[in-house]
Structure formats: structure tokens, C-alpha cells
Amino acid sequence: MMRSSGIENHPQGHLWKVGERRSAPLSAAMQLFYRGIHSAYHTVVPYRMRIILWEYRRRRLRAFKEYAQARNRKLIEQCKTELRQIIAQSPDAKGVVIFPRSVAWDTPLFQRPHQMAMAFASLGYLVFYWVQVDSIDNVARFRKVNHGLYLCNVAPEVLRCVENPIVITYTYTYNWTAQLKSSSIVYELIDRLEIFSNFPLPLLRHYHKKLLSQATVVVGTANELLEDLAQHRPDAILCPNGVDYDHFASNNKDIRGSYEDIQRIIEEGKPIVGYYGALAEWFDYDLMKHAAKALPGYNFVLIGPDYDFSIGKTGITKLANIHWLGPKNYHILPKYLHAFDIATIPFQITKTLQAVSPIKLFEYMAGGRPIVTTDLVECRKYPIVLVAKNQDEFVGCLQRAMQLRDEPAYLAALKTTAQENTWHARARTIITAIEAKQTPPFSSISNSKESRSC
């Protein structure tokens, strides 16, 4: 599952920032009036519908900016020239891979699109990660991230100059994918459609149907997703999430004296049970509260954004041994993981979540931490994961995990499993599937004067 389920920034958080930019303070009466309207709106309009309305308004504003961008002929020609130069500097690239506009690059929640983009680049492909015109990344034309990996903020016409790129797309990026007109489309179904709360479900189903018929390769990231896909595409393949092993297994993880929030908890000397990722309705707050009460000698650390404002409603932070530290940048996550004694995935068990491939699962393994999860299908696959079917079993698994904390055989099994499930391995799976379809894996930009697109 993508950590933010396809949403770049939490919508209500964005609106709050907009509200902070008011030029003059409102009178007490007006504040009371707007507070009443706000309360009524949140009471009458369901959360999912509010998200959809917010995202619709945002898409409309974005469309105006994209139209202006596409009409600027001088800018278009500058972008095409720069694109030609970038490709000319990579004559040995195995191909060109484009990721349509999706999740912003500079976000604390580093997700599958980011990881797969870096994996393709490291395998010798030239990768363009297309960001939205209003993205927080603030990219003007092209920006190099790593060797072979560029962020780009350009009109679709510019990227259509690339001949036969490999396009990695998701359900919610169909509109941008369609503008590229690639013959090598890889459609990755990363979650059940119901989990993408910022799009109307009928629209997502329409996109899903289109991509099933148009994609060269269709991918499911979990067994249950693959089973659904196979009904329409028997050639669909399984490609779960993975891990940047070196990032999480690095020896340079000493957190002492670096981060005060976790340092204070470490100094208490209690075992630390940790979780990082989005905190939302799928997180089992009741389970975590039960464990914290049953194990008062343990500290429980939660890292991640309050995705849907569910934390305050649960009262979970009122417990003395539960600590919510907020979101942390992906680049320092290994340091926090190193502070955990046990890593957890306490998700609720629902039909939607049984189709989830948790990215953090393999990251926990690479970090060498015993793992305790609820009864998720994708976690059951690995014998090294301690799976609990109820609250009491969860507590028992945490106690068992502490016994495994320094057991050499167990730690070796964690390392081996993580190394078998890297993002490089996932990218190779995609490449093999494309080659099996006899789609030319190499792409280039057309420099012909007769090219209509350039």
C-alpha cells in the first residue's frame, strides 16, 4: 500500500495553511459564524465526499495552470531542447521510463513510485518522474535528482517527444498516461480502489477498465489484487512492494544525541515498540491501547502524519507510554527504526487491507527488527513475522519478539528475506515482463525534422 494512498498532501492540512494567509483577522462574531458553518459542513458532508470535493477543486485550478503551460510555445520549445540534451547525455541508457504525475517527490512519505523510479535509474534506465504543475517540488522544467533520474514539470507535448517510453502508471494517473501515447504501459494496481479516498469510485473503476485493456503489462502488488486482475488479465503478474536494503541496513544509524524526541524515550530504558507510516482509520488504535495497558513496562512510539485526524478522536496519546512523534523524513527513518526494539504493523483486518503489501514490512526486516503484525495475508507469507489474530495474541507476540531481539538465527533470516525483496528485484520483474511481451525496452527522443510531435 502506498503510504498516503495516492494523495500528495493531506487535503484538510492544505486548507488550514490557506486559511492562515488571511490578510486581516476576522471579528469575533464572524469567527463564530464561520466556525458554525465549518462544523455544519463537517457534520453533514461525509469525510470521503469532502476529500473528493476538495480534490475536484484542486484539479480544476491545476487544469487552468496546465492549459497556460501548454499554450506557452516558447516554454515548450525550451523544454524540448533541454529534454534532447538530457537524453543525448545518456547514450548508454537501456531505455526511458516515465512516471506520470502522481505523488510529490519531496514528501516525508516515500512511496512505491519514488522507490521504483530510483530502482529503474540504478539499473541503467533514464527516468523522468513527472510532477504536477502545482507540486510542492517547485520544479521548473527539469531537475536532476540522481544519476539517470530527473523530476520534470512540462506539458505532455514535451514528453511525447520520447519514442516508445516505458510508462509506469496507477489507476488515478490514467489521464496523464493517456496523453503520452506509449505502447509500453505498465499498470500497477497497488490497492483496492476503495482506498483512494480523493477520487469518485465510479471514475476510478472507469480508469481501471481502460488500463486493463490498454496496458502492456498489468501488475498486482498483493495476491488478492492479482486474483482480481487475473479474471480480466490472465497474464497479470505479482510484484509486491520492496525495500532499499542499503538505506535501512546502513551501519550509520546511531541516533544518540541527534533527535531529542526519541532520545528522551530511549533514556527511560524500556523496550520500545515502534510503528511508522500514515495514522488513519485503518490503524487499529484499540489494539495499540490494549497492548500499552497490558505492557506498562514498554514504550510505544508512533511516527507518521495524522492522515485523517483520527488520533485525537481515539485518545490514544493520553496513555503515558504511547508517544506520537509526528511525521519524519524518509532519509532519517532508519535512525528511528534503529531505536525500536520491536517493529509493528497494527492494521485493522478488513477486505480492503487484506490486499495491502506494506512497504514498511521489508524495511523493518532490513533494519533487523523483530516484526509483529495483525493477521494480514501479505505478512503471513513470511515465517519470520509474528502474526497475531487477536489482542491477547498481539501482546504475547510482542513479548516473544523481545526474546528474538538478539537471536542470531532470527536476525540472519530477517536480513536474507529483506535482500530477496529489494526494489531492484521488483524493477527487474517489470523489465522481464515487458521483454516477454516483445515490446522494445529501449526508448529514444526523435531528432528527425519530420517528427510531428517534436
Side-chain angles (χ1 to χ4, degrees), residues 66 69-70 76 101 130 154-161 176 179-180:
E66 290 173 350
Q69 184 187 57
I76 294 292
R101 295 168 174 172
W130 195 11
V154 298
E157 178 183 342
V158 176
L159 291 179
R160 281 200 293 268
C161 288
W176 294 296
Q179 296 181 71
L180 298 179

Side-chain angles (χ1 to χ4, degrees), residues 238-254:
L238 178 67
C239 186
N241 287 319
V243 62
D244 180 346
Y245 180 82
D246 291 339
H247 183 61
F248 286 90
S250 171
N251 291 322
N252 185 25
K253 298 178 296 186
D254 191 355

Side-chain angles (χ1 to χ4, degrees), residues 7 37 91 103 156-157 217 261 263 290 341 348 398 421 450:
I7 302 176
I37 294 294
V103 186
E157 178 183 342
V217 174
D261 52 1
Q263 183 62 34
H290 175 83
D341 292 291
Q348 295 189 33
L398 292 176
N421 291 276
E450 299 176 356

Side-chain angles (χ1 to χ4, degrees), residues 309-418:
F309 300 125
S310 55
I311 291 180
K313 299 174 184 177
T314 65
I316 192 169
T317 55
K318 293 180 181 178
L319 295 179
N321 60 335
I322 294 184
H323 311 269
W324 175 43
L325 305 185
K328 303 297 177 185
N329 190 283
Y330 172 78
H331 299 292
I332 64 172
L333 269 184
K335 292 183 178 293
Y336 281 87
L337 177 57
H338 182 67
F340 298 170
D341 292 291
I342 304 165
T344 63
I345 305 178
F347 288 168
Q348 295 189 33
I349 303 303
T350 65
K351 182 179 179 181
T352 299
L353 290 176
Q354 287 294 22
V356 163
S357 171
I359 292 178
K360 60 184 66 63
L361 178 65
F362 302 113
E363 293 173 350
Y364 289 167
M365 292 179 188
R369 293 299 177 265
I371 304 166
V372 177
T373 77
T374 47
D375 194 17
L376 298 167
V377 171
E378 293 300 307
C379 295
R380 275 191 241 136
K381 294 179 181 179
Y382 306 97
I384 53 176
V385 177
L386 304 180
V387 176
K389 296 182 179 179
N390 55 52
Q391 291 184 341
D392 291 336
E393 280 192 15
F394 190 78
V395 172
C397 285
L398 292 176
Q399 293 171 319
R400 170 61 179 151
M402 276 304 297
Q403 298 171 2
L404 295 171
R405 176 67 180 80
D406 297 309
E407 186 174 301
Y410 180 78
L411 297 179
L414 287 173
K415 177 180 179 179
T416 300
T417 308

